[in-house]
Short mmCIF file of all heavy atoms in Angstrom, two decimals:
data_model
loop_
_atom_site.label_atom_id
_atom_site.label_comp_id
_atom_site.label_asym_id
_atom_site.label_seq_id
_atom_site.Cartn_x
_atom_site.Cartn_y
_atom_site.Cartn_z
N ASP A 14 0.86 -1.22 0.01
CA ASP A 14 0.02 -0.01 0.02
C ASP A 14 0.88 1.23 -0.01
O ASP A 14 1.54 1.51 0.96
CB ASP A 14 -0.93 -0.05 1.24
CG ASP A 14 -1.86 1.15 1.29
OD1 ASP A 14 -1.71 2.10 0.48
OD2 ASP A 14 -2.83 1.08 2.12
N LEU A 15 0.88 1.96 -1.13
CA LEU A 15 1.74 3.15 -1.26
C LEU A 15 1.15 4.43 -0.71
O LEU A 15 1.80 5.48 -0.85
CB LEU A 15 2.06 3.33 -2.76
CG LEU A 15 2.54 2.10 -3.57
CD1 LEU A 15 2.76 2.45 -5.03
CD2 LEU A 15 3.69 1.45 -2.90
N GLY A 16 -0.04 4.32 -0.13
CA GLY A 16 -0.68 5.49 0.49
C GLY A 16 -1.05 6.48 -0.66
O GLY A 16 -1.20 6.14 -1.79
N GLY A 17 -1.14 7.72 -0.16
CA GLY A 17 -1.55 8.83 -1.08
C GLY A 17 -0.36 9.40 -1.77
O GLY A 17 0.73 8.89 -1.67
N GLY A 18 -0.54 10.60 -2.35
CA GLY A 18 0.59 11.30 -2.99
C GLY A 18 0.39 11.69 -4.46
O GLY A 18 1.05 12.66 -4.88
N LEU A 19 -0.43 10.98 -5.19
CA LEU A 19 -0.64 11.32 -6.61
C LEU A 19 -1.19 12.73 -6.59
O LEU A 19 -2.32 13.03 -6.13
CB LEU A 19 -1.61 10.36 -7.24
CG LEU A 19 -2.01 10.64 -8.67
CD1 LEU A 19 -0.81 10.70 -9.55
CD2 LEU A 19 -3.01 9.63 -9.22
N ALA A 20 -0.46 13.64 -7.23
CA ALA A 20 -0.81 15.07 -7.15
C ALA A 20 -1.77 15.50 -8.22
O ALA A 20 -2.01 14.83 -9.20
CB ALA A 20 0.49 15.91 -7.23
N VAL A 21 -2.42 16.67 -7.93
CA VAL A 21 -3.27 17.32 -8.97
C VAL A 21 -2.55 18.51 -9.41
O VAL A 21 -1.99 19.32 -8.66
CB VAL A 21 -4.60 17.73 -8.25
CG1 VAL A 21 -5.42 18.62 -9.22
CG2 VAL A 21 -5.38 16.47 -7.88
N ASP A 22 -2.52 18.75 -10.79
CA ASP A 22 -1.84 19.92 -11.36
C ASP A 22 -2.83 21.05 -11.33
O ASP A 22 -3.49 21.44 -12.25
CB ASP A 22 -1.46 19.51 -12.80
CG ASP A 22 -0.50 20.55 -13.36
OD1 ASP A 22 -0.10 21.50 -12.66
OD2 ASP A 22 -0.01 20.29 -14.50
N TYR A 23 -2.86 21.75 -10.14
CA TYR A 23 -3.86 22.82 -9.92
C TYR A 23 -3.55 23.99 -10.91
O TYR A 23 -4.48 24.75 -11.24
CB TYR A 23 -3.85 23.31 -8.50
CG TYR A 23 -4.45 22.26 -7.52
CD1 TYR A 23 -3.68 21.39 -6.87
CD2 TYR A 23 -5.79 22.33 -7.30
CE1 TYR A 23 -4.28 20.47 -5.96
CE2 TYR A 23 -6.40 21.45 -6.43
CZ TYR A 23 -5.63 20.52 -5.77
OH TYR A 23 -6.17 19.61 -4.86
N ASP A 24 -2.29 24.26 -11.20
CA ASP A 24 -2.03 25.42 -12.03
C ASP A 24 -1.76 25.10 -13.51
O ASP A 24 -1.58 25.99 -14.34
CB ASP A 24 -0.85 26.30 -11.43
CG ASP A 24 0.45 25.49 -11.38
OD1 ASP A 24 0.57 24.46 -12.06
OD2 ASP A 24 1.36 25.96 -10.65
N GLY A 25 -1.66 23.80 -13.77
CA GLY A 25 -1.43 23.39 -15.17
C GLY A 25 -0.03 23.65 -15.73
O GLY A 25 0.23 23.56 -16.94
N SER A 26 0.94 23.87 -14.75
CA SER A 26 2.28 24.22 -15.24
C SER A 26 3.15 23.01 -15.50
O SER A 26 4.23 23.04 -16.13
CB SER A 26 2.98 25.09 -14.14
OG SER A 26 3.12 24.34 -12.99
N HIS A 27 2.74 21.81 -15.02
CA HIS A 27 3.41 20.61 -15.20
C HIS A 27 4.85 20.68 -14.66
O HIS A 27 5.82 20.31 -15.39
CB HIS A 27 3.44 20.12 -16.68
CG HIS A 27 3.74 18.69 -16.89
ND1 HIS A 27 2.93 17.71 -16.39
CD2 HIS A 27 4.75 18.04 -17.42
CE1 HIS A 27 3.40 16.47 -16.70
NE2 HIS A 27 4.53 16.69 -17.34
N THR A 28 4.99 21.23 -13.44
CA THR A 28 6.28 21.45 -12.83
C THR A 28 6.29 20.79 -11.53
O THR A 28 5.25 20.25 -11.00
CB THR A 28 6.59 22.90 -12.72
OG1 THR A 28 5.60 23.53 -11.78
CG2 THR A 28 6.53 23.64 -14.06
N ASN A 29 7.34 20.87 -10.81
CA ASN A 29 7.48 20.35 -9.37
C ASN A 29 7.16 21.40 -8.33
O ASN A 29 7.53 21.32 -7.17
CB ASN A 29 8.88 19.66 -9.05
CG ASN A 29 9.97 20.72 -9.22
OD1 ASN A 29 9.80 21.89 -9.50
ND2 ASN A 29 11.19 20.25 -8.88
N TYR A 30 6.43 22.40 -8.80
CA TYR A 30 5.91 23.43 -7.87
C TYR A 30 4.77 22.85 -6.96
O TYR A 30 4.17 21.83 -7.30
CB TYR A 30 5.27 24.63 -8.70
CG TYR A 30 4.71 25.74 -7.90
CD1 TYR A 30 5.58 26.53 -7.09
CD2 TYR A 30 3.39 26.06 -7.94
CE1 TYR A 30 5.05 27.55 -6.35
CE2 TYR A 30 2.84 27.11 -7.22
CZ TYR A 30 3.69 27.86 -6.46
OH TYR A 30 3.15 28.87 -5.66
N THR A 31 4.72 23.39 -5.82
CA THR A 31 3.85 22.79 -4.78
C THR A 31 2.41 22.53 -5.29
O THR A 31 1.83 21.50 -4.88
CB THR A 31 3.75 23.80 -3.59
OG1 THR A 31 5.03 23.97 -3.04
CG2 THR A 31 2.85 23.27 -2.47
N ASN A 32 1.82 23.36 -6.11
CA ASN A 32 0.49 23.16 -6.54
C ASN A 32 0.36 22.54 -7.90
O ASN A 32 -0.60 22.64 -8.61
CB ASN A 32 -0.21 24.51 -6.57
CG ASN A 32 -0.37 25.09 -5.20
OD1 ASN A 32 -1.19 24.67 -4.42
ND2 ASN A 32 0.42 26.08 -4.91
N SER A 33 1.42 21.80 -8.29
CA SER A 33 1.48 21.20 -9.57
C SER A 33 2.01 19.79 -9.50
O SER A 33 2.16 19.20 -8.39
CB SER A 33 2.33 22.00 -10.52
OG SER A 33 2.32 21.51 -11.88
N ARG A 34 2.42 19.19 -10.63
CA ARG A 34 3.15 17.90 -10.61
C ARG A 34 3.96 17.83 -11.92
O ARG A 34 3.48 18.30 -12.96
CB ARG A 34 2.21 16.72 -10.43
CG ARG A 34 1.36 16.41 -11.67
CD ARG A 34 0.39 15.29 -11.41
NE ARG A 34 -0.28 14.86 -12.65
CZ ARG A 34 -1.29 14.06 -12.68
NH1 ARG A 34 -1.88 13.65 -11.58
NH2 ARG A 34 -1.82 13.70 -13.84
N ASN A 35 5.12 17.23 -11.81
CA ASN A 35 5.96 17.20 -13.04
C ASN A 35 5.92 15.79 -13.69
O ASN A 35 6.86 15.35 -14.35
CB ASN A 35 7.44 17.54 -12.71
CG ASN A 35 8.09 16.50 -11.73
OD1 ASN A 35 7.47 15.52 -11.32
ND2 ASN A 35 9.34 16.72 -11.40
N TYR A 36 4.76 15.12 -13.55
CA TYR A 36 4.62 13.82 -14.17
C TYR A 36 3.14 13.61 -14.62
O TYR A 36 2.26 14.30 -14.05
CB TYR A 36 5.00 12.72 -13.20
CG TYR A 36 4.33 12.80 -11.80
CD1 TYR A 36 3.17 12.10 -11.55
CD2 TYR A 36 4.84 13.61 -10.84
CE1 TYR A 36 2.53 12.22 -10.31
CE2 TYR A 36 4.26 13.66 -9.55
CZ TYR A 36 3.03 12.94 -9.33
OH TYR A 36 2.42 13.08 -8.14
N THR A 37 2.94 12.68 -15.47
CA THR A 37 1.57 12.27 -15.87
C THR A 37 1.14 11.01 -15.15
O THR A 37 1.96 10.38 -14.48
CB THR A 37 1.54 11.97 -17.42
OG1 THR A 37 2.39 10.83 -17.69
CG2 THR A 37 2.04 13.17 -18.21
N LEU A 38 -0.09 10.68 -15.28
CA LEU A 38 -0.59 9.44 -14.67
C LEU A 38 0.12 8.25 -15.28
O LEU A 38 0.51 7.27 -14.52
CB LEU A 38 -2.10 9.28 -14.81
CG LEU A 38 -2.73 8.06 -14.22
CD1 LEU A 38 -2.49 8.01 -12.72
CD2 LEU A 38 -4.21 8.02 -14.50
N ASP A 39 0.41 8.26 -16.55
CA ASP A 39 1.16 7.18 -17.16
C ASP A 39 2.51 7.01 -16.54
O ASP A 39 2.98 5.94 -16.24
CB ASP A 39 1.30 7.44 -18.71
CG ASP A 39 0.15 6.95 -19.50
OD1 ASP A 39 -0.86 6.52 -18.94
OD2 ASP A 39 0.26 6.95 -20.76
N GLU A 40 3.20 8.14 -16.33
CA GLU A 40 4.55 8.09 -15.73
C GLU A 40 4.51 7.60 -14.26
O GLU A 40 5.36 6.83 -13.83
CB GLU A 40 5.16 9.51 -15.78
CG GLU A 40 5.60 9.90 -17.22
CD GLU A 40 5.92 11.41 -17.35
OE1 GLU A 40 5.34 12.17 -16.53
OE2 GLU A 40 6.82 11.75 -18.11
N TYR A 41 3.46 8.04 -13.55
CA TYR A 41 3.30 7.61 -12.17
C TYR A 41 3.12 6.12 -12.10
O TYR A 41 3.83 5.46 -11.27
CB TYR A 41 2.02 8.34 -11.62
CG TYR A 41 1.59 7.93 -10.28
CD1 TYR A 41 2.21 8.39 -9.10
CD2 TYR A 41 0.53 7.02 -10.07
CE1 TYR A 41 1.77 7.97 -7.85
CE2 TYR A 41 0.06 6.63 -8.84
CZ TYR A 41 0.68 7.12 -7.75
OH TYR A 41 0.23 6.75 -6.45
N CYS A 42 2.25 5.56 -12.86
CA CYS A 42 2.01 4.10 -12.86
C CYS A 42 3.28 3.34 -13.34
O CYS A 42 3.69 2.33 -12.74
CB CYS A 42 0.83 3.76 -13.74
SG CYS A 42 -0.77 4.44 -13.23
N ALA A 43 3.85 3.86 -14.40
CA ALA A 43 5.09 3.17 -14.98
C ALA A 43 6.19 3.12 -13.97
O ALA A 43 6.89 2.11 -13.76
CB ALA A 43 5.51 3.81 -16.22
N ASP A 44 6.42 4.28 -13.34
CA ASP A 44 7.60 4.37 -12.36
C ASP A 44 7.35 3.44 -11.15
O ASP A 44 8.24 2.75 -10.63
CB ASP A 44 7.81 5.77 -11.91
CG ASP A 44 8.67 6.56 -12.88
OD1 ASP A 44 8.77 6.13 -14.03
OD2 ASP A 44 9.21 7.65 -12.52
#
């Protein structure tokens, strides 16, 4: 059980900024 963590890209910047994420769902699952 990996817990939570999958982020929401609230600002759409696709970065590692606090309110974003620098990965897609595909990348998340693959990694």
Side-chain angles (χ1 to χ4, degrees):
D14 184 347
L15 313 181
L19 177 58
V21 170
D22 194 357
Y23 287 94
D24 61 19
S26 64
H27 199 65
T28 64
N29 61 0
Y30 180 63
T31 299
N32 295 286
S33 183
R34 71 183 191 195
N35 64 359
Y36 53 93
T37 64
L38 181 59
D39 272 10
E40 291 168 326
Y41 173 79
C42 297
D44 275 20

